[in-house]
Amino acid sequence: GTLPGEKVTITELEEKKSYILGKVLSIDQQSESRIPAPCRYYTQCGGCDLQHATYPEQLQLKTEIVADLLSSQNIDSGNDNRVICVNHTLASPQTLYYRQRIRLWVDRDGRCGFRQYRSHNIVPVQQCIIAKRPINETLAELTSRQPFNRLLSHTTELELLWNPDSDKVTAIFHQKRKPRPADFASARELCDTIPVLESIYFTGENFPLTCGAPADSANTMTVQYTSENEENPALRLSWEIGGFCQVNLEQNQNLIELVLEYAAITSRETVLDLFCGSGNFSIPLARQAESLLGIEGQGAAIRSARANSESAGLDNTTFQKSPIHQSCESLYHQRASFDCLVVDPPRQGIPGLARQLYALCRSRMVYISCDPATLCRDLAELQKAGFTIKTVQPVDMFPQTHHIETVVLLEKN
């Protein structure tokens, strides 16, 4: 809850091996970048943690976080041992009301909200100012309906997803048991009486994603990206409900264009896209490449990637459902190689893959990271394997929070 340059009074909460966790008692000298937080739940809800900083300050902090981590891990630009220059963080088109989906937790009393910082306690909320406005409209409508409260009585989590194609919202109830006729009746009543609520689904540990209402509901969502660049025409991407997509869709378009710029694919080059998801990067890359192989561990994502490729009229893509480490080892033993690798892993990164990636890569690699700490660990391994770091570009996919997306261009020595 502090900012650089401030003088504060704190109390020590916990001492770790390399740092001390403290709690602010008072801000004695404020930073010029401090502002009143726009959200009434700020400091209670554990979601956002930078609302007390102006947006330019948030961008500067994120740039410095990435640079500091690279420096502390002794990661330089390569053979010349120069300090890596981290580009200034790419600003998000929207700083509020940008999230395409939110996940709310439900406590034993049937209250729906977000968890407190470093706690399992629930903070009941009626809105989230970083979520899309239709999501907030839906949440406000749901909380006043009795059928919703009946469903919450056996729900552990609630997801609200905004569909950019229809501008409406889908709700996914994570239930403790399989849905019963009364649950389907409640779902139908909610969809019939809340215009912005497009559909309701149920899911749980012992049963797959099940449509609650309406019965003919489509199980996909779609976003259309337009472009003024003739080389990158309009892009239409779909994904299955419950599947992964970037939560900041407006910034995701900038992220795609950045990856295309760094990959710099020509019509005679081949691409390997690891953790390809539903084809967020695969489809625009394949438009420029001779061929593209996309690999992903989730079956729903692979189905979406194949459908997106077909919808785009591409015949140069292959998508495989397989664990990434296993696939890379297999490709390595086959002595396969690709001009460009694109890697977009989850938070745990790509430990133990540097040797295989170096062998699979002929020219360059674009690494998209959602965790600067694991990124630095992986970059150290990739450097040892023989890659040179050329460009580091933080991207603000998550305004008002400390989370940072980073795109790194590496070249093979």
Side-chain angles (χ1 to χ4, degrees):
T2 64
L3 292 174
E6 293 186 325
K7 291 184 178 179
V8 300
T9 301
I10 66 167
T11 182
E12 181 180 318
L13 294 180
E14 190 177 358
E15 185 170 350
K16 300 286 189 177
K17 184 177 180 180
S18 58
Y19 67 92
I20 297 172
L21 182 67
K23 180 181 179 181
V24 177
L25 297 179
S26 64
I27 308 291
D28 304 321
Q29 182 177 319
Q30 289 191 3
S31 164
E32 293 181 356
S33 298
R34 177 174 286 275
I35 59 172
C39 178
R40 58 176 163 163
Y41 303 110
Y42 193 59
T43 71
Q44 303 173 52
C45 164
C48 296
D49 45 21
L50 285 179
Q51 285 189 18
H52 61 287
T54 63
Y55 191 57
E57 177 72 1
Q58 292 185 33
L59 296 176
Q60 182 61 31
L61 287 171
K62 294 185 178 187
T63 305
E64 292 175 1
I65 286 170
V66 175
D68 181 62
L69 281 168
L70 289 169
S71 175
S72 65
Q73 296 295 320
N74 297 317
I75 298 173
D76 53 46
S77 60
N79 297 330
D80 51 9
N81 294 321
R82 287 186 295 110
V83 174
I84 294 174
C85 179
V86 177
N87 294 337
H88 188 64
T89 302
L90 181 65
S92 172
Q94 294 177 245
T95 60
L96 298 173
Y97 304 107
Y98 65 85
R99 282 193 68 100
Q100 180 266 341
R101 69 180 184 272
I102 61 173
R103 181 187 293 257
L104 302 153
W105 303 90
V106 183
D107 66 14
R108 294 177 180 177
D109 298 322
R111 297 182 304 172
C112 189
F114 297 113
R115 285 177 172 163
Q116 290 179 331
Y117 174 65
R118 296 174 66 89
S119 169
H120 290 287
N121 294 332
I122 302 297
V123 179
V125 299
Q126 295 179 325
Q127 67 167 341
C128 173
I129 65 169
I130 63 171
K132 288 288 186 181
R133 294 182 188 275
I135 289 179
N136 285 304
E137 183 182 345
T138 302
L139 182 59
E141 289 276 5
L142 285 172
T143 53
S144 64
R145 307 299 176 98
Q146 188 58 36
F148 177 64
N149 293 325
R150 288 198 297 267
L151 289 175
L152 285 190
S153 65
H154 41 80
T155 296
T156 58
E157 302 168 36
L158 171 68
E159 290 183 75
L160 297 176
L161 322 171
W162 175 69
N163 186 349
D165 207 31
S166 64
D167 199 28
K168 293 188 177 183
V169 174
T170 288
I172 303 178
F173 290 81
H174 294 250
Q175 294 193 302
K176 303 172 186 176
R177 53 156 175 78
K178 292 183 179 180
R180 297 172 182 173
D183 299 329
F184 290 103
S186 294
R188 286 193 299 271
E189 185 176 346
L190 290 171
C191 287
D192 289 343
T193 57
I194 302 177
V196 72
L197 184 59
E198 186 170 42
S199 58
I200 289 178
Y201 285 79
F202 301 113
T203 190
E205 289 186 6
N206 301 319
F207 63 95
L209 192 71
T210 304
C211 182
D216 59 349
S217 175
N219 71 335
T220 60
M221 292 187 171
T222 304
V223 63
Q224 173 117 0
Y225 295 117
T226 58
S227 175
E228 298 178 359
N229 187 343
E230 295 181 358
E231 295 181 0
N232 303 322
L235 176 66
R236 188 174 175 85
L237 294 173
S238 297
W239 61 94
E240 293 186 13
I241 288 174
F244 175 80
C245 75
Q246 290 285 0
V247 298
N248 188 339
L249 295 176
E250 289 80 9
Q251 183 73 318
N252 185 50
Q253 180 164 5
N254 295 329
L255 181 63
I256 291 171
E257 291 173 356
L258 186 65
V259 170
L260 290 176
E261 176 189 341
Y262 286 3
I265 300 299
T266 68
S267 59
R268 294 184 178 181
E269 291 186 311
T270 57
V271 181
L272 173 63
D273 186 3
L274 299 174
F275 308 93
C276 68
S278 58
N280 191 52
F281 303 120
S282 301
I283 305 307
L285 284 165
R287 285 174 164 178
Q288 302 177 356
E290 179 180 292
S291 65
L292 178 141
L293 171 60
I295 302 176
E296 165 66 48
Q298 188 188 51
I302 287 295
R303 288 193 298 270
S304 296
R306 289 169 179 164
N308 286 327
S309 179
E310 182 178 355
S311 176
L314 298 172
D315 59 4
N316 63 340
T317 62
T318 302
F319 292 100
Q320 295 178 359
K321 176 185 177 299
S322 176
I324 300 301
H325 282 68
Q326 178 181 315
S327 294
C328 287
E329 193 67 28
S330 176
L331 290 169
Y332 172 77
H333 287 296
Q334 296 170 24
R335 298 192 176 183
S337 63
F338 304 83
D339 293 294
C340 180
L341 306 187
V342 175
V343 185
D344 183 17
R347 193 169 298 279
Q348 59 263 36
I350 50 170
L353 274 183
R355 174 179 59 89
Q356 295 92 325
L357 294 179
Y358 185 79
L360 294 173
C361 181
R362 284 201 288 265
S363 176
R364 57 204 178 278
M365 179 169 73
V366 182
Y367 185 152
I368 305 99
S369 165
C370 61
D371 187 324
T374 57
L375 169 67
C376 290
R377 177 205 65 201
D378 292 340
L379 288 179
E381 293 182 3
L382 291 166
Q383 276 193 328
K384 289 179 182 177
F387 283 101
T388 298
I389 300 170
K390 304 299 291 184
T391 307
V392 178
Q393 177 64 66
V395 178
D396 192 18
M397 297 293 288
F398 315 100
Q400 314 305 333
T401 80
H402 70 275
H403 299 290
I404 310 169
E405 202 91 356
T406 311
V407 183
V408 181
L409 173 62
L410 303 101
E411 290 184 356
K412 188 170 181 177
N413 291 344

